[in-house]
Amino acid sequence: MTEAERHKLMLDLLRDRPFASVRDLQAVVDASPATIRRDIAKLHAAGAVRKVFGGIAAAEAGSLEGVTARPFTENQMLGVAAKKAIAREAAALVQDGDALIIHGGSTCYLFALLLANRNVRIYTNSMPLAATLWQNGTCHLTLAGGELYREPGIVHSPQAGPPDFYASKFFLGAQAIAPAGMQESHPLVVRETALLLDRADEVIVLADSRKFGMRARNPMMPLSRIGTLITDDSLTDANHKMLMDAGIRVIIARANPDFS
């Protein structure tokens, strides 16, 4: 198979999905991982795709992600350097003895890993987060009750009201941020957030700068409800001003350029 043929097959695969891992690509083009990574680099340089951690994403990812939310396992592989930097800044806001609510999402997941062995109490509805903290952590963990909804990876009970848990800080991610506020594609995430907002003294949003170019179907909360927002250093001046005008404390995390 020629290089041109491999590239065509790789681009064809992205027409049906917003992201493809190296393993996905290997199954399609029947080439070694080293060859596929070289192909990814060439396609990225040509602007045909975006090189991301673990594979490639569609060049117009913003428009695709504005339609539907990515599964947690795919979202974990995007913007890893920025998310790790945001997670470190978030961990610096936590003091020993704190009671925290941590929502689902890949950035919140990385943040929670930094707290696994801290003297903190964590309430979460995220099954991936809870499973990891159970296996690898010593922090006090309270898990939401209900059924597991696999796509967003959260536990939810339609009959349950707000949890009997109060926190100093509520950490959550965002799928999209616009002047009108935060937005999500999955209505269940919106309902769960509404139940938790009044259970914490401060709302802290962990959102990499890509989220400001996206749109989602369901409004979740206005910008005025956010106390602090942590993002990466690719945030535009216009979006920084939008947040400041809404009275939000903005923390800029410096991503390590060595991460891809």
Side-chain angles (χ1 to χ4, degrees):
M1 186 180 294
T2 67
E3 179 181 280
E5 289 172 332
R6 291 197 308 272
H7 289 186
K8 182 180 183 303
L9 288 172
M10 293 165 73
L11 292 173
D12 286 346
L13 183 62
L14 279 186
R15 288 180 185 147
D16 300 324
R17 61 176 77 183
F19 169 83
S21 67
V22 171
R23 181 176 296 178
D24 294 334
L25 297 170
Q26 192 175 7
V28 171
V29 303
D30 193 24
S32 69
T35 296
I36 289 172
R37 290 189 179 95
R38 286 194 293 270
D39 288 339
I40 289 174
K42 290 182 179 180
L43 289 169
H44 175 80
V49 303
R50 288 189 305 120
K51 179 182 177 183
V52 298
F53 183 81
I56 55 174
E60 298 295 329
S63 60
L64 288 169
E65 289 179 301
V67 177
T68 57
R70 294 180 185 274
F72 177 84
T73 51
E74 287 186 8
N75 204 33
Q76 268 187 304
M77 300 180 181
L78 300 178
V80 175
K83 290 176 181 178
K84 286 184 175 180
I86 292 167
R88 289 193 294 269
E89 292 289 344
L93 300 180
V94 177
Q95 299 179 345
D96 284 347
D98 272 350
L100 312 170
I101 297 173
I102 305 180
H103 217 326
S106 56
T107 308
C108 284
Y109 177 88
L110 292 172
F111 159 61
L113 293 183
L114 301 178
L115 306 179
N117 294 298
R118 294 274 303 270
N119 178 25
V120 293
R121 296 173 59 233
I122 295 175
Y123 173 94
T124 188
N125 55 11
S126 167
M127 180 56 73
L129 192 159
T132 298
L133 292 182
W134 167 63
Q135 290 181 320
N136 304 303
T138 58
C139 61
H140 186 281
L141 180 64
T142 301
L143 180 62
E147 299 179 26
L148 172 61
Y149 291 76
R150 294 183 183 278
E151 183 185 339
I154 64 174
V155 177
H156 173 74
S157 172
Q159 293 78 32
D164 186 20
F165 188 98
Y166 293 89
S168 58
K169 302 175 183 70
F170 175 19
F171 292 89
L172 71 160
Q175 187 188 346
I177 301 175
M182 287 175 55
Q183 305 163 346
E184 284 288 341
S185 287
H186 206 297
L188 183 59
V189 176
V190 176
R191 291 197 293 271
E192 272 290 293
T193 301
L195 290 174
L196 296 170
L197 279 174
D198 292 332
R199 287 299 191 264
D201 297 329
E202 181 182 7
V203 175
I204 302 175
V205 174
L206 313 184
D208 62 85
S209 57
R210 295 177 307 116
K211 305 303 176 65
F212 291 85
M214 300 178 188
R215 295 295 180 267
R217 297 186 185 93
N218 302 298
M220 189 162 73
M221 65 180 178
L223 294 181
S224 59
R225 190 64 183 82
I226 302 171
T228 299
L229 186 142
I230 308 176
T231 188
D232 60 83
D233 50 11
S234 293
L235 182 72
T236 66
D237 291 341
N239 285 324
H240 194 177
K241 183 177 185 302
M242 174 185 73
L243 297 172
M244 297 292 288
D245 288 347
I248 299 171
R249 174 194 180 195
V250 180
I251 298 175
I252 303 297
R254 307 295 174 183
N256 186 337
D258 293 334
F259 286 105
S260 59

